[in-house]
Amino acid sequence: GPSLSGRQCQAARGVLGVGPPSAVDPKLARRGRRCECGPCQRRSRGPPREGGPTAAWPPREPQPPRGLPGRGPPPPRGLPGRGPPPPRGLPGSPSRPVASPGGGPRRPVASPGAPAAAFPRSQGRDLQLCVWDLAEGRGAVVDAVRLESVGFCRASVLAEGPQRWTLAVPGRGSDEVQILELPSKTLVSCLKPEAGARLGMPMCLQLWQAESSPRPLLLAGYEDGSLALWDVSMRKVCSRAACHSEPVMGLALDPRRARGVSGSAEKALAVWSLEGQQALQVRGTHELTNPGIADLKIRPDSKILATAGWDHRVRVFQWRTMRPLAVLAFHSATVHCVAFDATGLLAAGSGDQRISVWSLYPPT
């Protein structure tokens, strides 16, 4: 804090309450004013402490309530004649208090039964998977799941009802995948390859629901470059295919065509299909300009494929023919993830700490 020395600081000692009343300069007291040092001026704006002057100088006139002259205070926010706005939250859904990140004040947010689009997820190296409520400018954590493993593998979520989800995450073992039920966080099953398989760590996961099966299925890409199709309920591998010679870094599935694509550290994409939605079959490969794919996504209309590359580029393909359409050169570091929204916008996140949003080839 400021030093308390000299005649001005003698007055400051009385104002700040750090000295006895006799510490106030008598010359300043006889003149009926305080010194103009910074501590005195700042302290004079608030109520004095014991041992200091009893009134601020100069005295302030009482301030009228805010509003136009002669019209009184401003009305509460809201449309004219309709009163104040209702409490924040999704229309028609109950709300409950949830602590904001960092231990801040509690605010009402929508219940977990609200539409899934209102609850984006984030997964970090702090072993936490957080579910967020970002509606109407909020930034509150609705729920969090403690993970068992730190690695490259992203979790996958499958909605099975308005208030029920299935979550696939890497398990405690190096080759395990855990299946949890949300929001109860109950462990449903633990998927572990048979002894001697040596698939390595799971690198990417995707849950999906086949039309011909009432049970959820899981596609998993492993460190040895293979893909495995799991029956989650039966806890067994339905099919397995060797697609790459390097770890599978990302995969994308088109449920309409029972066809998918995967990428790895090598210089090629692998295109595969699900025969009868149960058997994996490699259909071919597509050569790339540079090696290294971190993520892949197929647009909801099944027309466009986007890849996130280690070469700082986002590459866009026509999904049916794998014909190259565009190379998006904006980022200055590895592009780690890509995502499409329902309207066709493409977002890409990079190690250069930037997120780019692209509008290209609008859906028709």
Side-chain angles (χ1 to χ4, degrees):
S3 61
L4 301 178
S5 60
R7 185 169 63 181
Q8 289 184 336
C9 290
Q10 287 178 0
R13 287 175 66 86
V15 173
L16 295 176
V18 297
S22 59
V24 181
D25 192 329
K27 293 183 180 180
L28 293 175
R30 284 197 299 269
R31 295 174 186 171
R33 65 182 180 88
R34 297 177 184 174
C35 71
E36 297 180 355
C37 68
C40 287
Q41 293 297 318
R42 287 194 296 270
R43 188 60 188 172
S44 66
R45 300 190 184 103
R49 293 188 181 179
E50 184 178 0
T54 58
W57 186 269
R60 293 189 177 183
E61 295 293 335
Q63 299 294 324
R66 292 183 302 167
L68 297 178
R71 297 190 181 181
R77 292 181 301 164
L79 295 177
R82 297 189 181 181
R88 293 183 298 174
L90 295 179
S93 63
S95 62
R96 63 184 181 94
V98 176
S100 62
R106 292 174 175 263
R107 342 179 210 189
V109 299
S111 67
F119 295 96
R121 303 173 303 275
S122 65
Q123 180 180 347
R125 299 187 69 85
D126 58 354
L127 292 177
Q128 291 261 62
L129 187 144
C130 296
V131 183
W132 296 80
D133 177 24
L134 304 182
E136 301 181 2
R138 289 189 294 270
V141 176
V142 177
D143 202 354
V145 178
R146 182 73 178 176
L147 304 180
E148 300 284 349
S149 172
V150 178
F152 297 97
C153 188
R154 300 184 182 98
S156 177
V157 176
L158 176 66
E160 295 191 359
Q163 296 187 11
R164 186 170 178 267
W165 300 270
T166 299
L167 173 68
V169 295
R172 182 174 301 178
S174 61
D175 57 353
E176 292 181 0
V177 177
Q178 289 183 350
I179 306 297
L180 305 176
E181 183 183 280
L182 297 180
S184 65
K185 304 177 188 176
T186 304
L187 179 62
V188 176
S189 61
C190 184
L191 308 180
K192 187 176 176 64
E194 64 275 8
R198 297 183 180 181
L199 302 183
M201 296 185 298
M203 306 296 292
C204 50
L205 305 171
Q206 183 166 345
L207 284 164
W208 68 295
Q209 184 75 51
E211 295 180 357
S212 60
S213 172
R215 302 189 298 267
L217 301 175
L218 172 70
L219 274 168
Y222 287 93
E223 191 177 5
D224 70 339
S226 66
L227 287 177
L229 177 65
W230 288 86
D231 187 316
V232 173
S233 301
M234 301 297 293
R235 305 182 187 182
K236 69 175 184 179
V237 177
C238 300
S239 178
R240 182 165 158 258
C243 299
H244 302 274
S245 59
E246 297 286 344
V248 184
M249 302 303 296
L251 62 89
L253 174 67
D254 180 5
R256 296 181 182 180
R257 296 187 171 93
R259 180 168 170 258
V261 61
S262 56
S264 70
E266 60 189 357
K267 198 177 175 181
L269 299 175
V271 181
W272 34 268
S273 64
L274 289 171
E275 297 295 333
Q277 297 185 334
Q278 292 291 329
L280 280 167
Q281 183 71 36
V282 178
R283 293 299 181 183
T285 60
H286 180 81
E287 292 295 322
L288 299 172
T289 304
N290 298 310
I293 293 296
D295 193 20
L296 308 96
K297 288 293 185 300
I298 299 172
R299 202 166 70 179
D301 63 358
S302 301
K303 293 184 177 180
I304 301 294
L305 167 70
T307 64
W310 294 1
D311 61 354
H312 314 171
R313 303 290 188 266
V314 177
R315 300 182 185 275
V316 182
F317 301 87
Q318 185 183 24
W319 168 227
R320 185 176 60 85
T321 63
M322 293 298 296
R323 179 169 63 90
L325 298 178
V327 178
L328 309 179
F330 173 79
H331 293 284
S332 58
T334 298
V335 182
H336 292 293
C337 53
V338 288
F340 286 101
D341 76 344
T343 66
L345 287 177
L346 171 65
S350 168
D352 61 7
Q353 302 181 10
R354 294 187 293 178
I355 297 175
S356 59
V357 180
W358 306 82
S359 175
L360 68 166
Y361 306 108
T364 56

